Amino acid sequence: DAIIGMSHYEKNDLVKLYGASLEKISVIQPGVDLNLFKPMDKKFAKQYLAIDTANIILFVGRIEILKGIDILIEAFASLPNPSKKLLIVGGNPAKDNQITRLKKKAEKLGVVNQIDFIGTISQDKLPTYYNAADLTVVPSYYESFGLVALESMACGTPVVASKVGGLQDIVKHNKTGYLIPSRSPDSFAHHINKLLENQSLQNSMATEAIFDAERMGWDKTVRNLLKLYESLLFALTNRMAIK
């Protein structure tokens, strides 16, 4: 009776790739838990995580090729700022073959000592990582929505992301972060460095990010979902009455 897409880009893909009926598709974006993901003092967050490096770049997600971590590591290696650290949250560093491969890549590029593979952490600890970071990078080849970007924004941390899928609905280019249209590590590095070198830009994007994220809480998602169910029930009731 109805199909839910998580973004307008997913809606188009459902029609184009699967022949879904356009009339049946409703776009209902997932939300973010604003009680959990919210701004906190950056200095406190860094102290809590025992990080004293000046510039912190964060990646959160599954450790797989689709997430574009190779692009991020290459971009990170080319950054001119020597006081930098990349935190990669996700996977299992002790068992994950992809992490082993990424560590070898980082070693070859001479930045393995500046990258921490944190592994999987509990949801309640994620806000501390977002708040400790200067920016979050989402270099994915595709994202149907991009919840990591929204969580980061809710914590007041700007996002540098690939211009793909649902990320285009979340990240506002030049306002809450940057959308990168290419798979070029140089392009990612340029925009990452632009944020790291300009604290006032970082602060203004943080303010815009929080404002945008506050309009995408789970309460809005639930309201939209209930409206869809109610419309379906109304249509069903009318059909039964006619019969």
Side-chain angles (χ1 to χ4, degrees), residues 150 153-154 156-158 170-177 201-215:
L150 183 54
M153 287 166 52
T157 304
I170 299 172
V171 180
K172 302 296 187 295
H173 187 66
N174 284 327
K175 289 187 176 181
T176 64
L201 175 64
Q202 198 178 127
N203 292 341
S204 66
M205 284 191 170
T207 301
E208 291 285 344
I210 295 167
F211 178 76
D212 272 16
E214 285 177 345
R215 296 182 294 174

Side-chain angles (χ1 to χ4, degrees), residues 5-7 28-32 144-147 150 170 216-218 221:
M6 290 191 285
S7 70
I28 300 179
Q29 294 177 324
V32 60
S144 57
F145 180 62
L147 185 58
L150 183 54
I170 299 172
M216 298 180 70
W218 273 118
T221 304

Side-chain angles (χ1 to χ4, degrees), residues 59-64 69 88-99 117-121:
F59 169 89
V60 176
R62 296 189 304 278
I63 308 300
E64 57 183 44
I69 307 172
I88 297 180
V89 175
N92 184 338
K95 298 180 180 179
D96 199 316
N97 290 332
Q98 281 295 327
I99 291 180
F117 289 88
I118 308 296
T120 302
I121 62 174

